[in-house]
Amino acid sequence: DPILPPILDRRPDGDVWECLNRIDVLLSGMGEDMPAVTWLIRADQSVEFSTGSFESGYTNHRSLWDKLQGRGHELGWHMHTMSYSGSQEQFVFDPDPGWLTEAHERLASSFPVNATRTGWDYGSNAWLSALDRLGVAVDFSALPGNVLWFSSGKVSLMTDWHDCPTTPYHPSARNYQRSGIDPLKLWEVPAAQFRRSLAGIMPRGLLRLKHGYFSFSGLTNQTQLLTDQWRELPLQVSDVWAFFFHPYDLTETGIQNVQENVRRLHNLPDVEFKTATEVSAGLSTRE
């Protein structure tokens, strides 16, 4: 992700990609303990509007990405489902953006786009079907048990994964939260979930009631970034755990947390760190 203003109605000043410089600080701090990462570079209309090209996150820092790929890391695609509205003169939520194919083509001309994650953790039948048609092999947007509401400027949306399993699955084209009839080819690999504290459960429940959402399924689940300080490891029964973070989270404290969290994962028995393509290939072979 670049750093963009909440209300995007004009091209921002300065370098919105400056936060990517913190990745080098992370690499220096981690040294040989740095596992291979799938770096999902944001490419959407907000990036094109702010920088002049969909693929600026890649082209402006190509030396960094080349170095990472040389170390066994992988590149993928991140995007936010919003488009510029001429009538409102700013960006608004768009569940079916017309720029999706072009953004994919721009990135795919530089590297294979096998993996995605959607901004605001968004998912829907139409959205995952669109990614599937573009040939995406694995998506990491799902947050099992979570229902979230986002509002930034004119962008307002609801993200719903309350009925999603904790293990990887082929989403049904008729129900993106479950496998079933008309399965997609892509794998949905949900983010690892942690135990939510008792103090955190009530506010989440009240938020659902405020929005007229009366299911309390999954309230005990909590998503934590790799840059957060973990109290404990994930509780889910799955042999695949997915984690994520943003480049602007790579503060001094954030990097220290990554080091500690990766160390704790390294200490698990028979643990392996895999890129997204390796995960999807392994799942398909097992299948």
Side-chain angles (χ1 to χ4, degrees), residues 17 20 41-42 47 54-62 65:
W17 292 110
L20 296 187
I41 304 172
R42 182 163 164 181
V47 170
F54 285 103
E55 67 275 27
S56 61
Y58 174 76
T59 56
N60 291 9
H61 290 265
R62 184 162 185 168
W65 305 127

Side-chain angles (χ1 to χ4, degrees), residues 31-225:
E32 294 299 318
D33 293 330
M34 183 69 189
V37 170
T38 301
W39 300 91
L40 306 177
I41 304 172
R42 182 163 164 181
D44 55 28
Q45 193 180 53
S46 69
V47 170
E48 193 272 341
F49 178 87
S50 299
T51 68
S53 74
F54 285 103
E55 67 275 27
S56 61
Y58 174 76
T59 56
N60 291 9
H61 290 265
R62 184 162 185 168
S63 60
L64 169 65
W65 305 127
D66 287 346
K67 176 175 66 176
L68 287 166
Q69 287 179 293
R71 297 182 182 183
H73 295 241
E74 180 182 26
L75 304 184
W77 182 23
H78 176 55
M79 77 298 287
H80 281 237
T81 51
M82 59 182 185
S83 299
Y84 187 78
S85 168
S87 61
Q88 301 187 55
E89 298 185 335
Q90 60 179 280
F91 277 79
V92 299
F93 172 62
D94 185 354
D96 185 22
W99 48 259
L100 190 68
T101 298
E102 182 178 2
H104 174 266
E105 289 176 349
R106 295 290 185 88
L107 281 188
S109 66
S110 298
F111 58 85
V113 179
N114 294 324
T116 55
R117 188 168 193 281
T118 310
W120 303 303
D121 322 297
Y122 181 71
S124 71
N125 295 343
W127 182 254
L128 288 186
S129 294
L131 296 180
D132 191 63
R133 286 193 297 271
L134 291 173
V136 172
V138 56
D139 179 70
F140 292 95
S141 303
L143 306 181
N146 283 258
V147 183
L148 306 168
W149 288 266
F150 298 92
S151 181
S152 179
K154 292 293 184 179
V155 178
S156 181
L157 71 151
M158 171 187 172
T159 292
D160 187 352
W161 293 101
H162 84 279
D163 197 33
C164 166
T166 59
T167 54
Y169 66 102
H170 290 294
S172 166
R174 304 185 188 186
N175 180 3
Y176 67 99
Q177 297 193 51
R178 286 285 175 180
S179 59
I181 299 173
D182 297 332
L184 303 179
K185 292 181 180 179
L186 69 74
W187 286 97
E188 184 62 45
V189 178
Q193 293 297 299
F194 297 75
R195 188 203 317 266
R196 187 182 302 280
S197 67
L198 292 176
I201 291 175
M202 183 172 290
R204 285 289 175 177
L206 291 175
L207 181 63
R208 292 190 185 188
L209 292 175
K210 175 184 175 182
H211 286 277
Y213 194 97
F214 300 108
S215 170
F216 297 111
S217 173
L219 274 181
T220 58
N221 288 9
Q222 181 180 21
T223 307
Q224 290 195 276
L225 304 182

